[in-house]
Amino acid sequence: MHALLEQIANIVGGGNVLTGDDVAQRRVDWMTSASCRAAAIVRPATTDELARVMRLCHAARQPVVTHGGLTGLVHGGEASPEELVISLERMNVIEAVDPVSGTMTVQAGAPLQTVQEAAEAHDLTFPLDLGARGSCTIGGNIATNAGGVRVIRYGMMRQQVLGLEAVLADGTVVSSMSRMLKNNAGYDLKQLFIGSEGTLGIVTRAVLRLQPRMASEHTALVACPDFAGVTGLLAHMGRSLGGSLATFEVMWRNHYALLTEESGRNTPPLPARWPFYAIIESLGNDDALNATQFSAALESAFEAGLIEDAVLAQSDTQRQGIWAIREDIEGLIDTLAPLFTFDVSLPIPDMPGYADELERSIRQRWPEGRLVVFGHLGDGNLHVSVSVGSTDPETRAAVEQLVYAPLAELGGSVSAEHGIGLEKRAYLPLSRTPEEISLMRTLKQALDPQGLLNRHKILAPEE
Amino acid sequence: MHALLEQIANIVGGGNVLTGDDVAQRRVDWMTSASCRAAAIVRPATTDELARVMRLCHAARQPVVTHGGLTGLVHGGEASPEELVISLERMNVIEAVDPVSGTMTVQAGAPLQTVQEAAEAHDLTFPLDLGARGSCTIGGNIATNAGGVRVIRYGMMRQQVLGLEAVLADGTVVSSMSRMLKNNAGYDLKQLFIGSEGTLGIVTRAVLRLQPRMASEHTALVACPDFAGVTGLLAHMGRSLGGSLATFEVMWRNHYALLTEESGRNTPPLPARWPFYAIIESLGNDDALNATQFSAALESAFEAGLIEDAVLAQSDTQRQGIWAIREDIEGLIDTLAPLFTFDVSLPIPDMPGYADELERSIRQRWPEGRLVVFGHLGDGNLHVSVSVGSTDPETRAAVEQLVYAPLAELGGSVSAEHGIGLEKRAYLPLSRTPEEISLMRTLKQALDPQGLLNRHKILAPEE
C-alpha cells in the first residue's frame, strides 16, 4: 500500500493523498456521523489524473470507494482500511453553459446548488431539486439517479443527463460527452453509469440538460378527506394543470401532526385534523394566467369533494413555511430517535392499505412504536420512518422485514430513489428476480472483473 | 436447419413457421420494398414459446433477426438465408391499463396507434407519436428508442418505459416489469434493451407510462425571417408556454416550397417566400386559457421580430393541412427520387451553417443536386434529404461523407432517432470514440457471446 500511495502522490501531488487523522475526521455517513476508515483519500484534479490513478490501482488490484457529497442514505460511502477513497471534491468546475441549446458541461464534484445557480444566471433552470442540494454533488446525483421533489414534472436525474464521462476500473476513459438531446448512434452507454452507484465506473464529467426558467411559482397546502381524495386530486391536477404541475407531495397525518401541533416545531398552516395533506406546486411564466389556472383547479377540486381545506402561499415566506414542514428531517430525527428511515415505491392505489397494515403490525409488536409516512406520491414513492425505541441489529431486521416484505407482492421497490448500497443488499431479491440479479452480476463482471469499484455495494459477494 | 425448424414447429405450431413464398413475399424495408430472404419466419405466441425457441437456437448456434412493424429506415430487419426471423406479430395484446397509476402493460407486437387509442379510452394519453404510428410496434419503438414529434415535451421512447421483459440470446427471460416510476433497486436493466436495436435481447413485453390527456390542442404555422428568429422563437415559446409547449418542428424553405408551391402537392397556408417555417403546438386542458396563452406568446414573438407571418389552425382540417406538409414523405420521394435520407443531430446554433455548407458542397459536385431539410429543431434533430440523380454505391458513399463528416467536429450524431442498423455502421466512429465502441463490444460479448441476435447490426464484425 505504501509504495502504491507514493506512486499515486506522484500523480495527484502529496497534498492530495490524505492519511491518518485527515481521513478519520471525515464523516462518511450523514445519519450516523461514522468516521472514514479508508487507508487514504485521493483527490485527483482532472479526469486524466484519475485515469492514471486507476491504472495503478488496477495493476495492484487495489479496491477503491468513490466519494461525492456524502449525503447518501445507504452507506454507499463506507470504506474499509483496505480500500482507498477517491474523492472528486477538486473536480468541481462548471466548464461551459450553452444557453441556446440549453446544456451545461460540469465536473462531477460540482455541488447541485452551484449547478442550479449557474443555470439561473443564464435565465435557465436545472430542475433536479432535493433537500441536500447544498452538499450533494452532480456526480453523486448521477451515480444514484437522484429523485427529489420535481420528478413528476422533469423526471429523475437520468433524464437530466445528455452526456457523461466515466473512468472504468482499468483506467480507461469512456467519454460520451454528447450535447445532443437525441443520439441513437449505438448503445446509450451513459445509462450504465447512471444509478449503478459507482460500481461500474467513476463518473467524472457530464453534460446536463437545462430547462426554460419558470419565473411564476404557485404553492398550495391542501387537506384531503381520505385517500380517494388524494388520488382523485392527483389526477385532477394533472389534467387541469398539464405540464405546469411541478410537485405533488403528500404527508400522512402522522407526519404532519408530529412536525406541527404535536412537537411545536412548525406553525401549521392548516389544522392537523385531516388524514392527508398535499403540497402542490404549479410552474409557469405568465403569472396572471398561472395564478388563474391554479386557483381554478383547486376550486373545482374543492367542489368535487377532493379537498377539505386549502391554503395558497401568498408570499415566499408562506411558501417556505409550508415546505419547512415537509423538509424538517431534523425534526423527525429529534422527535423519533432512535429511528429507521425507508424509501420505498409501490402502486399508488395500494398505498393506504400498505401504510395502515404496516402501522398495525408495528404496534402489534411494539405497542409504543410509531410510524410516520410522507413522500412523492405522484411518483409512487413513500418515505417511511419507524421508531420502536431501539436500533439494535435484531430490531432492525424485524422492522425491515415488516416494511419490505409486503412490497414483493405489490410489485413495489425496496428503493425508490436512495439506492441499495450496503443497507438494502439483503432485500434486493424482494424487488428483483434471480435472472435480473444474475444479469447485474454479468454486467459487473464484464466492466469490473476484479471487483475494484465500490466493491460489494448493491451486489453482495456470491456464496 | 430442417431439424431445428421441426423442433421449433413443435413449440409454436407448424402454421407459425413460415417458409418459401410466405417468407419472400414479406417486405423487410419500407423504402426499398426489398423481400425477406430469411430461411423461415417464426411467430411465437408467448414469451415462454419464444424463450424455448431461443434455447433451441442457442444450442444450435442459430442466428435470428427480430421483426416488429418493419418501418425502420436503417435495414435493421434485413435477414440472410442463414438466419431465422422472429416476428412478434402474434404477441400484440394490451394486457392491462391502470388508470390511477397511469400505466399500461403491453406485448411488444402491439402497434403504436393501438396503444395510443387504448390510452385515450381511459382518458389518458400515450405521448410517443410519429408518422408510422399505424404500422410500427411498441417493441420496435423500444428497440430503436423512437423519437417523433412530441420529444420536446415528453421525451423519447426511453422515457415512456417503466418496465420491460426481454428474452436473452440463450433463452433466459429477464423480466423487469416494474410499474414504478421510481425504482433504484440495483442496475436499471431495461436501459440495456432500449435503443440497442435487438442486439442484446428480444423485447417481449413492457409497462408503459401514460400521461394525463390534454384535450385542448393549438397549432400554428409560422414563418421566420432568419435562423436567429427560429432559435429566438424556440426559447421564447419555451419560456412563455412552459410545459404546454408540445411540438417545435422546423422546415427549411427548400422543404416547405417543394411540397407546396413547387409541386402543388399541398396548399400553402403561408406563402413560400420565407427562409424558415415552424409548426408549433401547445397542449393543455383549459381551452380558453390555453388559447389565450398561445396567441399571447405568438403575438409577443411577432412584436419582437422573431416571426414574419403566422397562421393559427382554426379547425382540425386546418391543423391537418399544416401537418400534411410536414408528414408528406411520399411527396419527398415522388419529387426527389432517387434520393438519400438522413437523420442527424447537431447543436442548434450550428444548424444553419451546417445546412448551407452541405448545400454548397453538394451543388459543387452535382450542379443539379438538391437538398431538403426539416426536422425536430427543438430536439437538435434534422432530417436531410439529398437528391443527386443516382443512388449507386459510389454516389451514396460520396453523399454520406458530405453529410456525416462535418458532424464529428460539431459533436453531432450520425443517428438522432433512426438508429444504426446496417446502414450507418461505417459511420459510427464519427459519433463515438474507440473506447465507447470497445465498451459496446464488451456488452455485446457479455450478453450475446455467440452473436446470435441481429448479428452485425450496429457493430460490424471486427477485422
Side-chain angles (χ1 to χ4, degrees):
Chain A
M1 178 71 86
H2 185 70
L4 176 64
L5 289 181
E6 275 193 356
Q7 289 176 292
I8 290 175
N10 285 338
I11 295 169
V12 300
N16 293 307
V17 179
L18 310 184
T19 54
D21 276 359
D22 289 341
V23 173
Q25 75 189 16
R26 195 165 288 210
R27 303 279 167 262
V28 294
D29 194 284
W30 179 83
M31 289 282 278
T32 65
S33 294
S35 270
C36 186
R37 298 163 59 228
I41 297 175
V42 177
R43 305 189 298 184
T46 63
T47 300
D48 180 61
E49 283 188 9
L50 175 58
R52 287 156 64 201
V53 168
M54 284 311 302
R55 283 199 284 275
L56 290 176
C57 290
H58 187 253
R61 295 184 163 260
Q62 172 61 50
V64 303
V65 173
T66 305
H67 278 187
L70 295 172
T71 59
L73 292 165
V74 293
H75 308 301
E78 208 168 287
S80 75
E82 297 77 41
E83 291 175 307
L84 293 184
V85 160
I86 304 286
S87 170
L88 294 170
E89 62 201 79
R90 293 173 68 214
M91 293 179 61
N92 60 1
V93 176
I94 293 176
E95 296 181 340
V97 178
D98 173 353
V100 175
S101 301
T103 63
M104 183 188 293
T105 307
V106 296
Q107 295 181 349
L112 172 57
Q113 193 169 337
T114 310
V115 167
Q116 291 173 334
E117 288 165 0
E120 278 162 28
H122 290 267
D123 203 26
L124 292 163
T125 196
F126 181 68
L128 187 89
D129 195 29
L130 54 151
R133 62 185 75 81
S135 312
C136 65
T137 64
I138 285 298
N141 296 151
I142 292 173
T144 59
N145 187 28
V149 297
R150 291 273 152 86
V151 172
I152 195 173
R153 170 67 183 92
Y154 293 104
M156 297 181 79
M157 188 64 185
R158 190 179 296 278
Q159 283 170 241
Q160 323 307 328
V161 182
L162 298 177
L164 187 149
E165 179 186 84
V167 174
L168 303 186
D170 65 1
T172 300
V173 179
V174 178
S175 188
S176 296
M177 291 289 279
S178 169
R179 291 182 291 149
M180 300 296 98
L181 190 55
K182 291 162 94 170
N183 185 0
N184 275 346
Y187 304 165
D188 191 359
L189 299 170
K190 67 176 178 283
Q191 307 297 345
L192 279 174
F193 304 106
I194 301 173
S196 55
E197 303 182 33
T199 60
L200 299 179
I202 301 173
V203 176
T204 47
R205 291 161 74 224
V207 181
L208 306 176
R209 181 183 184 188
L210 306 178
Q211 301 283 350
R213 188 173 180 191
M214 297 290 117
S216 158
E217 186 165 42
H218 290 275
T219 305
L221 176 75
V222 307
C224 295
D226 49 30
F227 199 76
V230 175
T231 58
L233 183 63
L234 172 62
H236 172 82
M237 297 307 281
R239 271 196 309 269
S240 305
L241 301 183
S244 307
L245 177 62
T247 296
F248 194 95
E249 300 278 306
V250 170
M251 298 173 273
W252 264 240
R253 175 163 51 187
N254 53 32
H255 180 265
Y256 182 81
L258 174 66
L259 295 175
T260 57
E261 294 176 1
E262 206 175 311
S263 65
R265 290 184 61 95
N266 299 280
T267 310
L270 296 174
R273 69 164 175 274
W274 306 107
F276 298 98
Y277 296 80
I279 300 176
I280 307 171
E281 289 196 332
S282 158
L283 281 177
N285 260 329
D286 185 323
D287 199 54
L289 270 179
N290 197 26
T292 309
Q293 191 184 29
F294 195 54
S295 353
L298 288 173
E299 212 160 290
S300 51
F302 196 81
E303 281 158 18
L306 301 171
I307 56 184
E308 289 284 357
D309 204 351
V311 55
L312 256 103
Q314 302 295 337
S315 66
D316 205 46
T317 310
Q318 283 187 15
R319 177 179 182 270
Q320 284 165 19
I322 291 172
W323 275 104
I325 306 168
R326 166 62 183 80
E327 293 195 333
D328 190 5
I329 308 297
E330 207 181 301
L332 276 186
I333 297 174
D334 280 3
T335 53
L336 293 180
L339 87 164
F340 304 109
T341 62
F342 301 95
D343 157 53
V344 300
S345 64
L346 63 160
I348 298 172
D350 295 319
M351 285 180 172
Y354 170 80
D356 290 350
E357 179 54 32
L358 183 56
E359 187 153 30
R360 221 175 354 259
S361 59
I362 285 169
R363 286 276 168 73
Q364 195 170 17
R365 179 139 175 192
W366 298 278
E368 305 294 303
R370 290 198 65 161
L371 176 76
V372 162
V373 181
F374 65 103
H376 318 292
L377 186 113
D379 315 332
N381 179 189
L382 294 183
H383 294 308
V384 175
S385 302
V386 178
S387 173
V388 297
S390 157
T391 54
D392 66 55
E394 292 72 34
T395 309
R396 164 180 290 275
V399 171
E400 284 176 343
Q401 195 59 37
L402 293 177
V403 170
Y404 290 140
L407 296 174
E409 205 174 318
L410 298 172
S413 174
V414 299
S415 179
E417 57 180 18
H418 292 173
I420 296 294
L422 296 175
E423 164 115 0
K424 301 185 181 182
R425 269 186 342 191
Y427 299 96
L428 189 59
L430 284 177
S431 294
R432 309 301 293 261
T433 65
E435 291 80 10
E436 288 181 281
I437 293 172
S438 165
L439 183 51
M440 290 181 207
R441 289 193 191 280
T442 299
L443 289 175
K444 175 71 175 173
Q445 177 67 26
L447 269 79
D448 180 17
Q450 295 184 10
L452 301 184
L453 300 174
N454 284 6
R455 66 180 175 163
H456 308 331
K457 310 269 164 72
I458 301 181
L459 297 165
E462 283 190 274
E463 276 145 26
Chain B
M1 176 72 86
H2 184 70
L4 177 64
L5 289 181
E6 276 193 356
Q7 289 177 291
I8 290 175
N10 286 338
I11 295 169
V12 299
N16 292 307
V17 180
L18 311 183
T19 53
D21 275 0
D22 289 340
V23 174
Q25 75 188 16
R26 194 164 288 211
R27 303 279 166 261
V28 294
D29 195 284
W30 179 83
M31 289 283 278
T32 65
S33 295
S35 270
C36 186
R37 298 162 61 228
I41 296 175
V42 178
R43 305 189 300 185
T46 64
T47 301
D48 180 60
E49 282 187 10
L50 175 58
R52 287 156 65 201
V53 168
M54 284 312 301
R55 284 200 284 274
L56 290 176
C57 290
H58 188 253
R61 296 184 164 260
Q62 172 61 50
V64 303
V65 173
T66 305
H67 278 187
L70 295 172
T71 59
L73 292 165
V74 293
H75 308 300
E78 208 167 288
S80 74
E82 297 77 42
E83 292 177 307
L84 293 183
V85 160
I86 304 286
S87 170
L88 294 170
E89 63 200 78
R90 293 174 69 215
M91 293 179 61
N92 61 359
V93 176
I94 292 176
E95 296 182 341
V97 178
D98 173 352
V100 176
S101 301
T103 62
M104 184 188 292
T105 306
V106 296
Q107 295 181 349
L112 172 57
Q113 192 170 336
T114 310
V115 167
Q116 291 173 335
E117 288 166 1
E120 279 161 29
H122 290 268
D123 204 25
L124 292 163
T125 195
F126 181 67
L128 187 89
D129 195 28
L130 54 151
R133 62 185 75 81
S135 313
C136 65
T137 64
I138 286 298
N141 296 150
I142 292 172
T144 59
N145 187 29
V149 297
R150 293 267 200 261
V151 172
I152 196 172
R153 170 66 182 92
Y154 292 105
M156 296 181 79
M157 188 63 185
R158 190 179 297 277
Q159 283 169 242
Q160 322 308 327
V161 182
L162 298 177
L164 186 149
E165 179 186 84
V167 174
L168 303 187
D170 65 0
T172 300
V173 179
V174 178
S175 188
S176 296
M177 292 289 280
S178 169
R179 293 183 290 149
M180 300 296 99
L181 191 56
K182 291 162 94 170
N183 185 0
N184 276 346
Y187 304 165
D188 191 0
L189 299 171
K190 66 175 178 284
Q191 307 297 344
L192 279 174
F193 305 106
I194 301 172
S196 55
E197 304 182 33
T199 60
L200 298 178
I202 300 174
V203 176
T204 48
R205 292 161 72 225
V207 181
L208 305 176
R209 181 182 184 189
L210 306 178
Q211 302 282 351
R213 189 173 179 191
M214 297 290 118
S216 157
E217 186 165 43
H218 291 275
T219 305
L221 175 74
V222 307
C224 296
D226 48 32
F227 198 77
V230 175
T231 58
L233 183 62
L234 172 62
H236 173 81
M237 296 308 280
R239 271 196 309 269
S240 305
L241 301 182
S244 306
L245 177 62
T247 296
F248 195 96
E249 300 278 305
V250 170
M251 298 174 272
W252 264 240
R253 175 162 51 187
N254 52 33
H255 179 265
Y256 182 82
L258 174 66
L259 295 175
T260 57
E261 294 176 1
E262 205 176 313
S263 65
R265 289 184 61 94
N266 300 281
T267 309
L270 296 174
R273 70 165 174 274
W274 306 107
F276 298 98
Y277 295 80
I279 300 176
I280 306 171
E281 288 196 331
S282 158
L283 282 177
N285 260 330
D286 185 323
D287 199 55
L289 269 179
N290 197 25
T292 309
Q293 192 184 28
F294 195 54
S295 351
L298 288 173
E299 212 159 291
S300 52
F302 198 81
E303 281 159 17
L306 302 171
I307 56 184
E308 289 284 356
D309 205 351
V311 56
L312 256 103
Q314 301 295 336
S315 66
D316 205 45
T317 310
Q318 284 188 13
R319 177 179 182 269
Q320 284 166 18
I322 291 172
W323 275 104
I325 306 168
R326 165 63 182 78
E327 294 194 333
D328 190 5
I329 309 297
E330 207 181 300
L332 276 186
I333 297 173
D334 280 4
T335 53
L336 293 180
L339 87 165
F340 304 108
T341 62
F342 301 96
D343 156 54
V344 301
S345 63
L346 63 160
I348 299 173
D350 296 319
M351 285 180 172
Y354 170 79
D356 289 351
E357 179 54 33
L358 184 56
E359 188 153 30
R360 222 176 351 259
S361 60
I362 284 169
R363 287 275 168 74
Q364 194 170 18
R365 179 140 175 192
W366 298 277
E368 305 295 304
R370 290 198 65 160
L371 176 77
V372 162
V373 181
F374 65 102
H376 319 292
L377 186 113
D379 315 332
N381 180 189
L382 294 183
H383 294 309
V384 175
S385 302
V386 178
S387 174
V388 298
S390 156
T391 55
D392 65 56
E394 293 72 36
T395 309
R396 165 179 289 275
V399 171
E400 285 176 344
Q401 196 60 38
L402 294 178
V403 171
Y404 291 140
L407 297 174
E409 206 174 319
L410 297 172
S413 173
V414 298
S415 178
E417 57 181 17
H418 293 171
I420 296 294
L422 296 175
E423 165 116 358
K424 301 184 181 182
R425 269 185 343 191
Y427 299 96
L428 189 59
L430 284 177
S431 294
R432 309 300 294 260
T433 65
E435 291 80 11
E436 288 180 280
I437 292 172
S438 166
L439 183 51
M440 290 182 205
R441 290 192 189 281
T442 299
L443 289 175
K444 175 72 174 171
Q445 177 67 27
L447 269 80
D448 180 17
Q450 295 184 10
L452 301 183
L453 300 174
N454 284 7
R455 68 182 173 161
H456 307 332
K457 309 269 164 73
I458 300 181
L459 297 166
E462 284 191 273
E463 276 146 27

